[in-house]
Amino acid sequence: MLSSPDAMACSRTCSRILGLSLGTTALFAAGANLVLLFPNWDVTYLLRGLIGRHAMLGSGLWGGGLMMFTALLSGSLAFLGALICFITSGVALKDGPFCMFDASSFNQTQFWKYGYPFQDLHNRNYLYDDSLWNSVCLEPSKAVIWHVSFFSMLLCISLLQILLVVIHFFNSFLSLFCSLCDK
């Protein structure tokens, strides 16, 4: 029966594990987003304003991190934060890294600019064509690997957080009915 002491103990234990898991993933999400601000551990890109909009948005810091800590106060904010982090990370992976690339066309002189060179590749997907990874982005070095690694990490962490929050909702709902049955 749902009102048994074993069910209540199981529900409390589950809540503790979920809380610890949400707190841990929040720290990892915030850490991953912080690392994205320093490509190749170099602060000069941040100081020069050469960080992509997805990393500067800081969804891992405030969405996957800060809002996740609010899960103790409000599960809906935690869910929203994880969802925003998930969507932003997915869009960032789709758009590709913010880097310096050769933007010249056939009849112009060569010029380099910062931007999102993989956004306009309609017939190729940079995620599946690793020959583009070192040939398109000129600076920072290994920009694609850095970008893909940490935004993939944020995508996975936020998906885990969404799952944990949903489990937390169900656990809280179950706890509510178990406590009503005890009375």
Side-chain angles (χ1 to χ4, degrees), residues 14-160:
C14 186
S15 289
R16 287 185 192 113
I17 291 170
L18 284 171
L20 182 61
S21 298
L22 286 169
T24 303
T25 59
L27 289 174
F28 280 119
N33 204 130
L34 277 174
V35 170
L36 281 165
L37 298 176
F38 306 101
N40 296 327
W41 306 109
D42 191 350
V43 71
T44 58
Y45 296 104
L46 181 63
L47 295 175
R48 292 173 31 204
L50 299 174
I51 302 295
R53 66 180 175 260
H54 304 102
M56 288 300 291
L57 182 60
S59 64
L61 287 170
W62 61 268
L66 181 64
M67 282 190 169
M68 220 22 67
F69 281 124
T70 64
L72 300 172
L73 303 174
S74 173
S76 58
L77 276 179
F79 182 80
L80 179 64
L83 185 64
I84 289 169
C85 186
F86 180 80
I87 291 169
T88 303
S89 299
V91 171
L93 284 170
K94 181 189 79 57
D95 289 349
F98 183 79
C99 64
M100 184 192 317
F101 65 100
D102 185 359
S104 58
S105 64
F106 292 107
N107 296 329
Q108 294 179 335
T109 60
Q110 184 175 22
F111 76 97
W112 296 334
K113 73 174 192 173
Y114 268 88
Y116 296 92
F118 299 111
Q119 269 186 323
D120 298 326
L121 293 178
H122 300 293
N123 57 347
R124 294 169 81 181
N125 186 335
Y126 82 99
L127 289 170
Y128 302 113
D129 189 353
D130 60 352
S131 67
L132 297 172
W133 288 24
N134 292 323
S135 62
V136 175
C137 285
L138 305 171
E139 184 181 285
S141 66
K142 300 179 184 170
V144 178
I145 293 170
W146 193 265
H147 179 85
V148 169
S149 298
F150 288 103
F151 275 114
S152 294
M153 186 184 302
L154 281 174
L155 190 74
C156 292
I157 289 169
S158 60
L159 185 60
L160 176 61

